Amino acid sequence: MTLPGFQPDETRRSWGRVQHGPQQIAIPQFRDDVAPLLRAARDAAMPVLGVGLGRSYGDNGLNLGAAVVDATRLDRTIAFDPVQGVLRAEAGMALGDILKLVVPRGWFLPVSPGTRFVTLGGAVANDVHGKNHHSRGTFGTWVRRIGLLRSDLGMVEVSQEQHPELFRATIGGLGLTGFILWVEFQLVPIASAWLEQENIPFGRLSDFFAIAAASEAFEHTVAWVDCTSGGKELGRGIFQRANWARDGRLAVHAERAHLALPVDLPGWALNRFILRAFNSFHYHANRFKPRRTKLHYGSALYPLDAIRNWNRLYGSRGFYQYQCVIPPVAAQDAVHELLRIIAASGMGSFLIVLKTFGSSRSPGLLSFPHEGTTLALDFANHGEETLRLMARLDEVVMSASGRLYPAKDGRIPPAIFRACYPNLDLFRHSMDPAFSSSFWQRISS
Amino acid sequence: MTEKKARRAVILGATSAMAEQIARLLAAEGARLSLVARDPHRLEAICADLTTRGAGCAIPHACDLADVENPDSLLGTLAASIGGLDAVLIFYGVLGDQQQAEHETQHLRHIVRVNFTSAAEWAIAAARALESGDSPNPVLMAIGSVAGDRGRASNYVYGAAKAGLAAIFQGLAHEYGTTRLRVVLVKSGSVITPMTDGFQRKGLTWARPEQMAAIIRKLMDRGGPIAYAPSFWRWIMLVIRSLPHSVMKRLKI
């Protein structure tokens, strides 16, 4: 049975491409189209979920066997104050489209993830972070008001003052507290669209911590790590730190991708020899690059957006992303242990990132970022072997009192998720009774 | 660089997905826009957005275009609200349901009235208003369909209405051929919009509304009077028009 206003679909996958299956999809064009869709789902007792551009790696942007309402056509601005830098826009507007509007007027997103193909609603629902977490916190920290459409309460405006519990649950709430119709948030001023970046090679993990500690004055910091080298070279990498330039040039990014992967690469293409060669090459090539460069935000913040569908690199079986954060006291030892396990497994990849999170706390109940060190990397999906490896990493993370990131996940065991997020029971009170997701089904089973 | 005067455009059927995308392109150029459609709330939402995107102004006017008694006088009002008239874009239309149209006269009449009769009335009135106005390079444009190029079982009522509109535009282009007025009918292929959400979108011929808007924006300045969008549809439809009936009747297209 197809719900009125919905269409059956089997083409959508998680960004990691591991999870897929049938769903019913509706793509409303206007805000007032959404309420009848939620009503249709509720009346048929079919769980529903609002979704955006599908960049979540795991299953929190899917509702397999149930219904999704795709927000991407709800992409209008509602109000913009170019003096105060406050924007209210529909939840389906992509961060890249927001940048096209605000950059020429000297404003930027306060926080941006590593891709601009993320909707505003998705940025709130996952309380995304970026390379500037230590200086600016999470996206949710900058949200002033949210227009939330509930299946039971109708339209509700939530903020720190109005319905604060629902506001806190919605930030990082994985889209489960109702349909996010619009978001009002604060932008930050920029005096240039370019960043002055420094690249600092480091030979081992302890150097990363030393450089990170000395780089707190830089707005953006992140490190790439060679995850294939063990022993004395364990944890070598390239530290990048950047601040906005002040040259007054406010050009927006180019929309065109340099490359696109129209088909899946065969699964064997990324074998351990190629990965090892790539990682070594990348490390040594960067050692000889100029230490200081000036980069447009398009290349500095969104390098992967230049390759459309890069997620097909990992072949038709897809990939998992693993992202954890470890509190400061245990960080160095735990990250060392994680890297050791990954290097020994030979199953790492080339997108491995280390970053220090700051102490700023997000209002979000289920927000992932936490003071400490975060490690993120991809694993091509080799079935059981990959799952076993991630289970070993889970043990290290849990014994260091760390936590895992639901937007990247497709497999956390429910018990571990509950241990990571002690506010989970509080969160449940704010959920919309008609909403669910594949992630939520799995976690609450 | 010489300061170009902001373009003044009336968009009829402004809540359609393609109309909204072309309105965004015009807004980014600083155009002054008058937007007409039935639903006042949706129009308000679009106008607020266009203002942020740089429109000199975006003024909503809610009415049912197929029910307007005197298009000339309403066009005068709309033009006055944006300080004159450089372009009139006719974007409204209804796909309808072919099966239903074959069994319910009301539905058949509705498809023909919206897509042909009403659009023709507006086109003729708009051509008059544009030609007699102060614009140095006035444009009249409407969205037609490749469905009008050959009647097919799946949608010939809609196709016939769009074919009729194409003939009106050819006629207007002929009539105003020696004036400044450009008259362009855009024969649109399949576009991914709410109008076609129930369709199986297989193959490479489906275009996104943003792509269509970019093509249409160019056609406002050159091309026509009959233009295919995207342009490869010219060749597809050449083949389809040339198929002999003995072949056509065996095809499910």
Side-chain angles (χ1 to χ4, degrees):
Chain A
M1 182 211 58
T2 308
L3 299 173
F6 289 78
Q7 305 291 336
D9 179 273
E10 296 205 20
T11 61
R12 296 196 180 197
R13 289 171 173 244
S14 61
W15 186 246
R17 298 171 58 80
V18 175
Q19 292 90 5
H20 53 94
Q23 303 181 107
Q24 296 195 25
I25 295 183
I27 319 175
Q29 181 89 4
F30 291 93
R31 296 200 289 279
D32 59 15
D33 288 325
V34 181
L37 296 169
L38 299 189
R39 213 173 301 127
R42 189 194 58 189
D43 292 349
M46 180 174 280
V48 66
L49 178 71
V51 300
L53 284 162
R55 254 48 177 199
S56 286
Y57 289 74
D59 49 2
N60 67 335
L62 295 172
N63 204 9
L64 301 180
V68 297
V69 176
D70 176 331
T72 53
R73 283 180 185 156
L74 304 174
D75 65 347
R76 301 175 190 91
T77 57
I78 298 170
F80 177 46
D81 177 345
V83 179
Q84 299 296 321
V86 175
L87 177 68
R88 182 186 287 201
E90 292 179 345
M93 195 165 184
L95 297 188
D97 290 339
I98 292 174
L99 291 175
K100 281 189 218 160
L101 282 180
V102 303
V103 167
R105 300 180 211 197
W107 296 99
F108 205 80
L109 298 164
V111 167
S112 178
T115 169
R116 58 179 200 273
F117 299 113
V118 165
T119 61
L120 194 47
V124 170
N126 294 289
D127 197 14
V128 298
H129 60 272
K131 296 181 190 181
N132 62 358
H133 182 273
H134 63 285
S135 48
R136 305 272 198 195
T138 66
F139 193 88
T141 316
W142 299 81
V143 171
R144 295 158 46 119
R145 303 179 84 73
I146 299 168
L148 195 64
L149 186 63
R150 297 267 305 194
S151 71
D152 50 353
L153 308 171
M155 186 66 205
V156 205
E157 275 192 42
V158 300
S159 65
Q160 294 279 19
E161 293 78 36
Q162 268 178 294
H163 306 285
E165 315 77 30
L166 195 47
F167 179 74
R168 294 184 60 210
T170 301
I171 290 174
L174 306 169
L176 297 167
T177 62
F179 189 92
I180 301 175
L181 267 186
W182 54 260
V183 178
E184 181 183 294
F185 69 104
Q186 178 70 52
L187 298 156
V188 294
I190 49 170
S192 170
W194 272 260
L195 291 133
E196 284 162 356
Q197 182 170 302
E198 269 184 72
N199 293 327
I200 308 167
F202 56 92
R204 51 179 188 206
L205 188 62
S206 55
D207 296 346
F208 162 81
F209 285 91
I211 301 169
S215 303
E216 281 177 6
F218 289 82
E219 181 180 335
H220 302 271
T221 65
V222 72
W224 169 86
V225 177
D226 172 357
C227 63
T228 55
S229 295
K232 271 193 290 190
E233 289 168 341
L234 184 93
R236 69 178 182 182
I238 313 291
F239 195 97
Q240 296 178 338
R241 56 190 194 187
N243 275 321
W244 287 104
R246 312 202 50 84
D247 58 18
R249 291 188 296 159
L250 293 167
V252 301
H253 58 271
E255 197 52 73
R256 190 176 295 249
H258 302 302
L259 284 171
L261 272 180
V263 292
D264 296 335
L265 281 192
W268 47 261
L270 289 182
N271 60 45
R272 65 178 65 196
F273 304 104
I274 288 180
L275 285 171
R276 203 180 156 92
F278 171 86
N279 276 273
S280 268
F281 176 78
H282 189 71
Y283 175 71
H284 290 291
N286 271 278
R287 281 177 60 199
F288 300 108
K289 269 196 185 163
R291 196 179 152 101
R292 281 167 214 273
T293 49
K294 198 163 176 179
L295 289 172
H296 187 262
Y297 74 80
S299 359
L301 302 183
Y302 310 116
L304 274 176
D305 286 349
I307 310 169
R308 257 337 114 79
N309 298 326
W310 63 262
N311 56 340
R312 306 186 91 161
L313 274 175
Y314 294 95
S316 59
R317 293 184 74 186
F319 68 102
Y320 288 96
Q321 181 159 95
Y322 192 89
Q323 182 167 2
C324 60
V325 58
I326 313 282
V329 282
Q332 196 156 339
D333 291 343
V335 172
H336 190 277
E337 179 62 7
L338 292 169
L339 288 175
R340 195 191 61 74
I341 295 171
I342 293 161
S345 77
M347 288 170 66
S349 64
F350 35 68
L351 301 165
I352 175 159
V353 163
L354 261 184
K355 155 145 195 74
T356 309
F357 281 156
S359 56
S360 120
R361 296 299 296 267
S362 162
L365 283 183
L366 296 190
S367 180
F368 161 71
H370 191 284
E371 185 174 18
T373 303
T374 183
L375 171 76
L377 81 162
D378 299 341
F379 292 111
N381 175 22
H382 297 300
E384 274 305 311
E385 194 189 357
T386 314
L387 293 171
R388 267 200 308 274
L389 171 65
M390 288 189 283
R392 282 192 64 196
L393 302 179
D394 287 349
E395 286 170 24
V396 178
V397 172
M398 296 318 290
S399 64
S401 308
R403 60 161 61 152
L404 297 159
Y405 189 9
K408 302 286 177 77
D409 177 59
R411 50 105 235 157
I412 308 179
I416 291 190
F417 186 75
R418 280 195 294 274
C420 293
Y421 293 93
N423 287 328
L424 198 57
D425 287 324
L426 201 54
F427 173 77
R428 280 178 211 272
H429 297 302
S430 294
M431 281 181 64
D432 188 313
F435 278 59
S436 189
S437 65
S438 293
F439 173 82
W440 189 253
Q441 294 285 339
R442 189 162 55 72
I443 286 302
S444 48
S445 65
Chain B
M1 210 168 84
T2 52
E3 183 76 4
K4 262 180 85 175
K5 238 184 120 209
R7 198 187 275 260
R8 301 155 299 178
V10 170
I11 303 182
L12 305 176
T15 51
S16 92
M18 267 199 278
E20 187 171 1
Q21 294 299 326
I22 187 86
R24 287 182 183 181
L25 294 182
L26 294 170
E29 298 168 18
R32 300 173 63 81
L33 302 168
S34 159
L35 306 185
V36 188
R38 268 176 311 184
D39 190 310
H41 302 294
R42 296 177 170 198
L43 273 177
E44 289 289 351
I46 291 173
C47 287
D49 176 58
L50 294 173
T51 308
T52 306
R53 289 176 193 265
C57 65
I59 299 168
H61 183 94
C63 71
D64 188 337
L65 285 158
D67 275 347
V68 172
E69 272 306 310
N70 187 340
D72 293 278
S73 95
L74 179 52
L75 258 179
T77 312
L78 298 174
S81 74
I82 51 173
L85 208 51
D86 297 297
V88 175
L89 310 177
I90 302 177
F91 271 83
Y92 64 95
V94 53
L95 191 55
D97 180 300
Q98 173 67 25
Q99 291 288 323
Q100 197 186 341
E102 288 175 30
H103 294 99
E104 286 174 31
T105 317
Q106 283 304 324
H107 190 62
L108 184 143
R109 283 181 188 162
H110 176 66
I111 295 174
V112 175
R113 191 167 70 105
V114 173
N115 293 312
F116 175 69
T117 320
S118 155
E121 288 171 23
W122 277 102
I124 291 166
R128 231 175 353 243
L130 284 162
E131 207 272 332
S132 63
D134 62 356
S135 174
N137 48 358
V139 187
L140 168 64
M141 181 181 267
I143 300 298
S145 169
V146 295
D149 275 18
R150 183 163 191 172
R152 288 174 297 128
S154 59
N155 64 357
Y156 60 81
V157 175
Y158 173 79
K162 289 294 193 184
L165 188 63
I168 294 278
F169 268 70
Q170 277 175 330
L172 285 170
H174 189 204
E175 180 179 1
Y176 289 94
T178 56
T179 70
R180 291 161 301 146
L181 177 63
R182 296 187 59 246
V183 177
V184 183
L185 182 97
V186 180
K187 288 190 175 174
S188 157
S190 326
V191 186
I192 303 170
T193 66
M195 202 193 223
T196 59
D197 267 352
F199 285 53
Q200 290 282 326
R201 292 185 183 128
K202 295 232 169 81
L204 299 168
T205 55
W206 286 87
R208 284 178 293 111
E210 306 90 275
Q211 293 172 315
M212 293 297 286
I215 297 169
I216 290 167
R217 179 63 195 85
K218 284 195 188 120
L219 288 169
M220 285 178 71
D221 292 334
R222 72 189 84 87
I226 301 288
Y228 288 81
S231 57
F232 60 76
W233 279 100
R234 171 185 297 278
W235 311 111
I236 296 179
M237 295 321 292
L238 179 67
V239 171
I240 289 179
R241 279 199 311 275
S242 323
L243 290 175
H245 175 64
S246 56
V247 177
M248 187 73 182
K249 68 183 181 185
R250 289 169 219 278
L251 295 179
K252 285 258 183 289
I253 53 171

